[in-house]
Amino acid sequence: LLTNTVSASAMAQFNGLAYLLAPVGSANPGGSWSLAAGFVAEPNMPKGESIVAYKFRLWVAVGQGAVANGTSMYYSKVLGTAGGIWTAAPDFINVGAGDGQNIVRLVVYYQSILVFRSSSTFSFQLTSYPAAGQIRHILPNTGLSEKDAVVGFDSFHYFMYDDKAYEFI
């Protein structure tokens, strides 16, 4: 038991901390956990279903069942920043807004984030500031069935969509 305040929907690890994501609708926020400090709540941390650490930031997606902000990828301040890593109104980038598809899962893949949506897949790459990142539509008609339908092994990702198994290289 890491905390009894939130039942985490996902977790990401960075620099000796485990970041626990609170699900949408949770009364309490997510936060970080370490052996030394225990669980420390991050009151401004977005809630959702998918979290990854990429380029010294945390990235959060609300999830497949989102009723609002389903195409938003929220990002933190640079990890290690004093005074909390989330702003009062977390910054975000929209990926394919307006087409009715929600982000199902975020996966780090080499120097990018694969953004699996309900019926398409995007790649997000970043060299400096998140707003200057590049979003590419890489699989227009293939997404992810559910957030747990993708797994990485070596340099491959295997995922399920529309009753078919895929290998992403």
Side-chain angles (χ1 to χ4, degrees):
L1 179 68
L2 300 180
T3 178
N4 60 3
T5 62
V6 66
S7 178
S9 56
M11 185 195 83
Q13 186 275 332
F14 180 79
N15 200 26
L17 294 175
Y19 292 93
L20 304 170
L21 185 62
V24 175
S26 173
N28 296 313
S32 63
W33 180 88
S34 70
L35 188 57
F39 181 75
V40 178
E42 287 274 350
N44 296 323
M45 186 177 193
K47 295 174 182 172
E49 294 294 321
S50 185
I51 183 171
V52 295
Y54 170 71
K55 298 282 186 169
F56 294 94
R57 296 177 189 270
L58 293 176
W59 299 79
V60 170
V62 178
Q64 186 172 7
V67 294
N69 307 319
T71 60
S72 297
M73 269 194 329
Y74 294 94
Y75 59 91
S76 70
K77 295 188 264 181
V78 173
L79 295 175
T81 304
I85 60 170
W86 294 98
T87 58
D91 295 315
F92 64 93
I93 295 169
N94 280 321
V95 179
D99 64 3
Q101 295 182 44
N102 289 342
I103 297 172
V104 178
R105 175 97 182 260
L106 305 175
V107 174
V108 176
Y109 184 71
Y110 291 106
Q111 294 299 314
S112 66
I113 296 177
L114 293 178
V115 183
F116 286 99
R117 297 181 343 130
S118 49
S119 294
S120 61
T121 305
F122 286 75
S123 172
F124 174 76
Q125 294 179 325
L126 166 67
T127 55
S128 58
Y129 190 71
Q134 296 180 352
I135 299 170
R136 292 184 313 142
H137 199 184
I138 57 174
L139 296 171
N141 297 311
T142 305
L144 196 62
S145 302
E146 61 178 60
K147 79 173 192 162
D148 295 325
V150 61
V151 64
F153 180 73
D154 286 336
S155 58
F156 305 99
H157 278 78
Y158 301 95
F159 64 99
M160 296 289 296
Y161 176 72
D162 199 24
D163 295 328
K164 295 179 182 79
Y166 292 86
E167 177 182 63
F168 188 90
I169 303 172

